Amino acid sequence: MTTAYDAVVLAGGAARRLGGVDKPGVRVGGRALLDRVLAACAGARRTVVVGAPRPTVRPVDWTREERIGTGPVAALDAGASALRDESEGEAEGEAEGEGGDRAGTPAPDVLLVLSADLPFLGEATVQRLLDGLAAEPEGEAALLTDADGRDQPLVAVYRSGPLRRELDAMRHAHRGLDGLPLRFLTGGLRTVRVPTGPDEPSASFDCDTWEDIATARARIRDHGAVLDEWITAVKTELGIDLDVDTGVLLDLARDAAHGVARPAAPLTTFLVGYAAAKAAESGTDPAEAVAEAAGKAAALARQWAAEQAEQAEQAGQAAQDEAG
């Protein structure tokens, strides 16, 4: 069973090494860094972003530290507090008989914590963290470790109770949380370390400098998944939430280009999309509609190619007969 979890994304840093630019809004592969991270934690029951509100690829809740810019521990505390306040509000509403989308659903005991500058983080790594924590009943946090073995406390999952315990202890010991390093937090927890996996070897790569941004942008084009990155960026830009077999569409484009004419490829795939949208309006599953329309168009393209081959064969035979 998939572990239920809430998510806190820290998106309020000063980005001094980027000249103070709005780092979560910097685009890599056509998508804002924040949107890329939000896609990785799309399975969260609730997501709170600690930072200045902005349009995002999916709905989230927003909060800020009590004193803006006072560090990741204070930001994490603000996000966790916002989730706790919402859970308590839901519990009160349920007790009073008020409805709600999440009424009657207990708040998850697990909190995913991410920074907003992880361009290559994906759902696979999030799932590995959740699995790592679930496999250790005594564990209080599961931290991703990078290729050099360094812990990544902002690519991690925490059990809510122990996290609150350590935050409260730090607040008491240091008369607040402002400016405290994350190692103070993780040092008091029983941690599980989850190595970066081969499925997402760059999951812990973060963007602190313009050189990091340039590296990320170049890696997207070089790491063998440029087509997937492009398709995801287009779907995000167009507001399309649809998984289709891109191989089918690529085969169709090839058949149309070779069997009809090169410009037929983009025009045919556009018409397939239009036909699929019309079919979806009548209740057909969108992915199935795309597959069906693509199949029909590909068969037509092959018929055109067969006719052309037959015509060429007949022309060649006629030339031989005339020469004979």
Side-chain angles (χ1 to χ4, degrees), residues 205-254:
F205 182 90
D206 57 0
C207 294
D208 290 326
T209 67
W210 283 115
E211 183 179 358
D212 294 335
I213 296 292
T215 298
R217 287 170 171 168
R219 191 174 297 179
I220 277 178
R221 294 181 176 273
D222 294 339
H223 72 356
V226 63
L227 190 58
D228 288 339
E229 288 281 358
W230 169 247
I231 294 300
T232 300
V234 172
K235 291 196 296 186
T236 300
E237 192 70 19
L238 300 180
I240 298 172
D241 183 15
L242 172 66
D243 290 326
V244 297
D245 187 344
T246 55
V248 169
L249 295 178
L250 290 173
D251 289 344
L252 168 61
R254 179 203 61 208

Side-chain angles (χ1 to χ4, degrees), residues 124-278:
T125 296
V126 170
Q127 188 59 52
R128 292 180 66 247
L129 287 168
L130 294 169
D131 292 344
L133 185 61
E136 296 289 341
E138 300 301 317
E140 296 176 330
L143 280 60
L144 188 71
T145 59
D146 63 19
D148 296 322
R150 292 182 298 245
D151 291 343
Q152 302 295 318
L154 296 184
V155 192
V157 293
Y158 299 83
R159 296 198 187 278
S160 301
L163 176 64
R164 288 196 299 271
R165 180 195 72 213
E166 289 306 307
L167 288 171
D168 289 343
M170 291 168 64
R171 185 182 289 106
H172 177 74
H174 300 277
R175 298 183 179 180
L177 300 175
D178 294 359
L180 297 182
L182 284 162
R183 68 176 181 275
F184 285 11
L185 172 65
T186 56
L189 295 167
R190 292 192 295 271
T191 57
V192 178
R193 288 171 173 81
V194 178
T196 301
D199 49 353
E200 292 183 342
S202 300
S204 63
F205 182 90
D206 57 0
C207 294
D208 290 326
T209 67
W210 283 115
E211 183 179 358
D212 294 335
I213 296 292
T215 298
R217 287 170 171 168
R219 191 174 297 179
I220 277 178
R221 294 181 176 273
D222 294 339
H223 72 356
V226 63
L227 190 58
D228 288 339
E229 288 281 358
W230 169 247
I231 294 300
T232 300
V234 172
K235 291 196 296 186
T236 300
E237 192 70 19
L238 300 180
I240 298 172
D241 183 15
L242 172 66
D243 290 326
V244 297
D245 187 344
T246 55
V248 169
L249 295 178
L250 290 173
D251 289 344
L252 168 61
R254 179 203 61 208
D255 292 342
H258 292 171
V260 183
R262 188 175 297 276
L267 294 172
T268 303
T269 52
F270 165 77
L271 292 172
V272 163
Y274 184 81
K278 296 295 287 184

Side-chain angles (χ1 to χ4, degrees), residues 74-164:
L76 171 52
D77 180 64
S81 295
L83 285 168
R84 185 168 64 251
D85 291 345
E86 183 178 347
S87 295
E88 291 173 353
E90 289 175 4
E92 291 175 1
E94 183 181 356
E96 295 172 3
E98 297 176 2
D101 293 339
R102 295 188 290 259
T105 303
D109 180 51
V110 174
L111 184 64
L112 171 70
V113 177
L114 302 171
S115 60
D117 60 351
L118 302 163
F120 301 113
L121 179 71
E123 291 180 285
T125 296
V126 170
Q127 188 59 52
R128 292 180 66 247
L129 287 168
L130 294 169
D131 292 344
L133 185 61
E136 296 289 341
E138 300 301 317
E140 296 176 330
L143 280 60
L144 188 71
T145 59
D146 63 19
D148 296 322
R150 292 182 298 245
D151 291 343
Q152 302 295 318
L154 296 184
V155 192
V157 293
Y158 299 83
R159 296 198 187 278
S160 301
L163 176 64
R164 288 196 299 271

